[in-house]
């Protein structure tokens, strides 16, 4: 009893001497906002995913795992995962590759106006997605869109890009790549600028040509940047929504129906909110896994970070 | 093609000239492809109505500024601008205040459970907005906030990313500065606003720029909770306008330019801040 009260006393004095009251005051507003619009909703979708709740009806019916069972048996769900995976793979891979190649050229000592070039390639990143999608609709217009005009000049037939089951998804991807390229370029460029010149000098003495230096020195040295860009790219592409909504709404049929679109349609067109919540749970789990991978990778939560 | 052959045939005397040539041959076409959508957008927005399908495509030869007037009359773009500005300013202001406060607490205050709470805050970064959208929508519905500014502002008043960005900046300043201020009798509140924030003004500006871009480009959330003509923000307004005037390409592009210009100008004016913020945040979380 004696010991315990002494222990409590110690703990209490420590608490009083700490900045707990100021800290509470400073953190309270953020805690409330994050609590109401992040923690509560994420708990909410898990709870809601066990219910059947259509059209905001007064009564929700508990159905256990039925939403998930129906989801995993739904061809449309697997299709949306497949479309999302294709989109993610192509957009991430192409923007990484082009970003790396362009970054190497931009990093050349003899290049004049480096920041000018950098800004040009970065502009799409800060361009609103909806506005860019409007331009895309025009660029890929079957009649007078620039893409078809160029193709016809080359003697090829144009296509009705966004209405074509095979080509709609690549068209959406092209917008994704355009918007993502500047981001990978900037991060690769920053990484390149931090590389030591010594590696290159010794390689040059050994008579390695530019391509050999790129493949055997640059690419391996940029490995950690590449891994991080892949993870960030996967998270970003997996959640793609705005451009699909504006360009195709998931069509034609379900050729461009990414998982974000599938969730939106079920939740806010059909108002099957329990089912929509189950899809949200899947999206959360995938993104959470990739975020944890990224954190592990950059050493988040390690001793250095904690203090 | 001719030019290429001529240049190739000439003896290249210095390695420097060759490198410059290769760089130009690669970067100019690449930048051109990236910039074509902007050229096409501007040119189309200035064309005479009905000539969209005719060349020129990239550089305007007509300057029908009347298209902009038509677009602005057809849809209340000024209203959209005003709405977006109100939302953006409110989000930036609240993030500067709330994220600074939280970042200060995590960086300098001692209290039990600090690391745990910080991890909990960071945990929200792995929650994609889309995954929480149904419950968030229901909260707005229960509060009867549909078509109000609160619906667009309050859920965005602070985010873990801003807190993290500022906290990382705050811990890098010498502790002595803060201790000196505290010894001089500053309260934590005064130390934050008079010492810590001024010393980290560039990080605060970067955070504000990201918040602006976020508010300006936002689409899905306004679509769900504030889709009345009076309350629409710019991207949503643009999409509704485009749906109504689908074949009037000149007006549509005038509207698109209207919705695009401000973030582009802001970026070009503050690119250093943007890019340094991006490289820092991208490499760490």
């Amino acid at each position: 009893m004696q010991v315990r009260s002494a222990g409590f006393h110690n703990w209490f004095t420590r608490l009083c001497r700490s900045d707990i009251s100021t800290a509470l005051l400073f953190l309270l507003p953020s805690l409330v906002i994050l609590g109401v619009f992040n923690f509560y909703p994420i708990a909410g979708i898990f709870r809601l995913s066990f219910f059947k709740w259509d059209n905001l009806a007064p009564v929700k019916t508990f159905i256990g795992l039925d939403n998930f069972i129906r989801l995993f048996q739904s061809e449309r769900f697997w299709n949306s995962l497949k479309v999302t995976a294709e989109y993610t793979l192509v957009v991430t891979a192409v923007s990484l590759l082009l970003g790396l190649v362009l970054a190497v050229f931009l990093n050349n000592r003899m290049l004049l106006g480096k920041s000018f070039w950098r800004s040009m390639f970065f502009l799409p990143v800060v361009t609103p997605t909806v506005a860019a999608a409007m331009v895309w609709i025009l660029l890929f217009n079957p009649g007078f869109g620039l893409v078809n005009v160029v193709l016809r000049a080359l003697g090829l037939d144009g296509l009705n890009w966004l209405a074509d089951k095979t080509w709609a998804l690549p068209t959406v991807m092209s917008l994704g790549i355009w918007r993502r390229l500047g981001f990978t370029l900037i991060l690769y460029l920053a990484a390149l600028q931090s590389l030591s010149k010594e590696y290159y000098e010794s390689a040059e003495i050994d008579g390695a040509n530019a391509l050999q230096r790129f493949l055997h020195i640059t690419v391996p040295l940029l490995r950690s940047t590449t891994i991080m860009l892949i993870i960030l790219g996967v998270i970003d592409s997996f959640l793609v929504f705005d451009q699909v909504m504006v360009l195709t709404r998931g069509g034609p049929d379900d050729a461009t129906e990414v998982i974000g679109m599938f969730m939106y349609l079920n939740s806010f067109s059909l108002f099957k909110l329990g089912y929509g919540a189950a899809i949200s749970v899947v999206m959360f789990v995938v993104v959470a896994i990739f975020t944890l991978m990224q954190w592990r990778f950059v050493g988040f939560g390690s001793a250095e970070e904690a203090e | 093609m001719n030019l290429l052959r001529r240049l190739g045939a000439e003896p290249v005397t210095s390695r420097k000239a060759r490198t410059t040539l290769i760089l130009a041959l690669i970067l100019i076409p690449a930048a051109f492809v990236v910039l074509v959508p902007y050229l096409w957008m501007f040119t189309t927005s200035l064309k005479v109505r009905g000539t969209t399908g005719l060349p020129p495509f990239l550089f305007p030869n007509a300057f029908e500024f009347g298209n902009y007037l038509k677009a602005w009359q057809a849809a209340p773009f000024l209203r959209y601008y005003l709405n977006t500005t109100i939302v953006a300013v409110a989000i930036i202001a609240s993030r500067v205040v709330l994220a600074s406060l939280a970042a200060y607490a995590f960086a300098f205050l001692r209290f039990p459970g600090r690391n745990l709470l910080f991890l909990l805050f960071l945990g929200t970064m792995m929650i994609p907005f889309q995954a929480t959208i149904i419950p968030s929508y229901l909260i707005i519905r229960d509060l009867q906030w549909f078509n109000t500014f609160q619906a667009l502002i309050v859920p965005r008043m602070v985010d873990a990313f801003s807190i993290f960005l500022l906290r990382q900046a705050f811990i890098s300043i010498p502790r002595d500065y803060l201790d000196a201020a505290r010894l001089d009798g500053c309260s934590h509140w005064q130390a934050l606003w008079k010492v810590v924030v001024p010393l980290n003004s560039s990080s605060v500006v970067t955070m504000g720029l990201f918040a602006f871009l976020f508010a300006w480009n936002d689409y899905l959330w306004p679509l769900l909770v504030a889709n009345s003509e009076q309350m629409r923000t710019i991207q949503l307004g643009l999409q509704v306008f485009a749906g109504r005037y689908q074949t009037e390409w000149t007006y549509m592009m005038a509207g698109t330019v209207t919705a695009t210009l401000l973030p582009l100008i802001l970026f070009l004016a503050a690119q250093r801040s943007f890019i340094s913020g991006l490289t820092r945040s991208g490499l760490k979380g």
Side-chain angles (χ1 to χ4, degrees):
Chain A
M1 199 60 197
Q2 195 74 26
V3 177
R4 241 177 73 192
S5 89
F8 176 77
H9 187 245
N10 267 342
W11 180 82
F12 191 73
T13 12
R14 275 224 313 278
L15 191 68
C16 289
R17 275 200 211 129
S18 75
D19 306 310
I20 184 93
S21 51
T22 316
L24 266 182
L25 217 60
F26 278 21
L27 289 169
L28 196 63
S30 300
L31 262 176
V32 170
I33 300 289
L34 293 179
V36 174
F37 292 101
N38 277 291
F39 294 119
Y40 169 76
I42 204 66
I45 56 152
F46 277 94
R47 202 181 82 88
L48 196 55
S49 68
F50 295 118
F51 288 86
K52 182 179 165 66
W53 190 26
D54 297 347
N55 298 311
L56 298 164
V59 189
K60 300 171 197 162
T61 324
F62 182 82
I63 52 168
L65 290 170
D66 273 14
N67 280 326
F68 289 98
I69 293 167
R70 272 205 304 142
L71 191 60
F72 293 134
Q73 286 172 345
S74 154
E75 256 177 58
R76 219 166 143 176
F77 168 69
W78 291 111
N79 172 70
S80 78
L81 274 185
K82 191 181 124 244
V83 171
T84 312
E86 283 171 9
Y87 178 91
T88 302
L89 197 73
V90 173
V91 170
T92 309
V94 175
S95 63
L96 242 78
L97 199 68
L98 289 179
L100 175 59
V101 171
L102 285 172
V104 168
F105 285 112
L106 282 193
N107 194 40
N108 195 295
R109 272 167 297 151
M110 291 173 201
L111 183 68
L112 296 171
K114 204 164 279 186
S115 71
F116 166 80
W117 291 105
R118 201 175 57 172
S119 306
M120 291 301 105
F121 287 111
F122 196 74
L123 276 179
V125 181
V126 294
T127 303
T129 315
V130 175
M134 295 298 158
V135 182
W136 243 247
I137 293 177
L138 195 58
L139 277 173
F140 286 89
N141 179 291
F144 52 79
L146 192 62
V147 176
N148 276 358
V149 168
V150 171
L151 285 179
R152 278 195 220 105
L154 296 171
L156 295 164
D157 283 336
L159 282 166
N160 191 352
W161 297 93
L162 288 164
D164 187 293
K165 271 181 136 180
T166 317
W167 287 98
L169 185 59
T171 309
V172 177
M173 286 170 179
S174 68
L175 177 52
I177 294 166
W178 183 74
R179 274 184 55 79
R180 191 75 189 164
L181 179 63
F183 181 75
T184 58
L185 168 67
I186 293 291
L187 289 196
Y188 268 134
L189 192 58
L192 281 173
Q193 282 163 352
S194 69
L195 292 186
S196 160
K197 287 195 179 63
E198 286 164 34
Y199 295 109
Y200 292 94
E201 280 158 8
S202 58
E204 232 163 305
I205 293 165
D206 290 347
N209 66 32
L211 185 67
Q212 285 169 331
R213 290 200 300 271
F214 174 73
L215 288 178
H216 297 293
I217 303 176
T218 311
V219 171
L221 283 176
L222 290 177
R223 194 172 150 266
S224 67
T225 308
T226 304
I227 294 176
M228 207 200 50
L229 280 172
I230 289 174
I231 300 174
L232 287 177
V234 166
I235 295 173
D236 188 68
S237 305
F238 187 78
L239 295 170
V240 61
F241 176 82
D242 294 4
Q243 61 241 47
V244 178
M245 180 74 179
V246 177
L247 286 176
T248 61
R249 283 187 162 253
D253 290 339
D254 50 13
T256 58
E257 195 171 278
V258 291
I259 191 156
M261 195 71 218
F262 182 62
M263 192 275 286
Y264 174 85
L265 289 174
N266 275 293
S267 310
F268 297 106
S269 289
L270 306 172
F271 270 96
K272 294 198 259 178
L273 293 171
Y275 195 57
I279 306 168
S280 305
V281 169
V282 174
M283 293 177 75
F284 166 69
V285 170
V286 172
V287 171
I289 289 171
F290 277 95
T291 313
L292 286 174
M293 275 168 60
Q294 187 218 347
W295 287 0
R296 238 188 111 95
F297 182 71
V298 297
F300 230 41
S302 65
E304 177 255 324
E305 275 299 330
E307 191 42 53
Chain B
M1 222 41 213
N2 251 333
L3 180 75
L4 264 179
R5 209 171 303 131
R6 212 168 52 220
L7 284 169
E10 264 168 19
V12 181
T13 45
S14 78
R15 199 170 144 208
K16 193 168 175 176
R18 204 180 57 196
T19 313
T20 312
L21 182 68
I22 293 172
L23 284 175
L25 283 178
I26 293 194
L27 290 179
I28 292 172
F32 182 72
V33 170
V34 168
L35 295 180
V36 156
Y38 299 103
L39 297 173
W40 169 259
M41 171 175 79
F42 279 112
T43 306
T44 307
S45 79
L46 292 171
K47 276 183 174 176
V48 179
R49 193 175 161 225
T51 64
T52 321
L54 305 172
F57 297 110
L58 299 176
F59 301 100
N61 66 350
F63 294 93
E64 282 284 319
F65 286 103
N67 291 338
Y68 285 81
L69 216 60
K70 279 269 170 48
W72 292 343
Q73 280 166 355
F77 274 103
L78 280 177
R79 178 83 224 177
Y80 301 156
Y81 255 99
L82 185 70
N83 290 344
T84 316
T85 308
I86 292 171
V87 172
V89 169
I91 290 178
I92 293 168
S94 77
R95 281 190 186 177
V96 167
V97 176
L98 300 188
S100 297
L101 284 171
Y104 183 93
F106 285 128
F108 303 121
L109 298 180
R110 282 168 214 285
F111 57 95
R114 182 178 73 173
N115 289 346
L116 191 71
L117 197 62
F118 186 55
L119 272 180
L120 201 66
F121 270 43
L122 289 182
T124 63
M125 285 208 270
M126 75 166 101
I127 304 176
F129 162 66
Q130 288 178 46
T132 60
I133 202 160
I134 296 173
S136 301
Y137 172 88
L138 295 171
I139 293 170
I140 298 299
R141 177 171 160 268
D142 290 343
L143 290 168
Q144 301 189 317
W145 278 4
F146 282 138
N147 296 311
T148 62
F149 280 113
Q150 302 92 286
L152 295 173
I153 295 166
V154 175
R156 274 75 190 282
M157 279 175 71
V158 77
D159 67 323
F161 176 72
S162 303
I163 296 173
F164 177 67
L165 198 77
L166 292 187
R167 187 252 185 197
Q168 295 307 89
F170 287 3
I171 53 173
S172 68
I173 66 167
R175 179 91 207 186
D176 303 351
Y177 287 37
L178 189 68
D179 292 340
R182 293 282 294 150
L183 278 175
D184 282 350
C186 276
S187 65
H188 284 298
W189 173 264
Q190 287 166 328
L192 170 61
W193 299 114
K194 289 187 177 158
V195 180
V196 177
V197 166
L199 279 173
N200 289 288
S201 54
S202 76
S203 296
V204 176
V205 169
T206 302
M207 191 210 77
L209 284 170
F210 282 126
F212 170 82
L213 261 196
F214 170 79
W216 191 270
N217 298 353
D218 202 9
Y219 169 68
L220 175 57
W221 183 242
L223 173 70
L224 287 175
V225 298
N227 197 7
S228 73
E229 185 80 321
Q230 277 300 300
M231 282 307 301
R232 277 185 197 124
T233 48
I234 185 80
Q235 301 308 322
L236 189 54
L238 173 65
Q239 201 217 354
V240 172
F241 169 73
R244 227 179 277 154
Y245 294 86
Q246 227 156 28
T247 49
E248 299 286 353
W249 298 104
T250 50
Y251 303 157
M252 205 176 116
M253 283 302 113
T256 307
V257 171
T258 308
T260 311
L261 221 48
L262 200 58
L264 295 190
I265 291 170
L266 196 72
F267 163 69
L268 290 174
Q271 45 173 311
R272 211 171 259 278
S273 239
F274 261 111
I275 288 173
S276 78
L278 204 74
T279 37
R280 250 181 302 155
S281 61
L283 291 169
K284 275 272 178 189

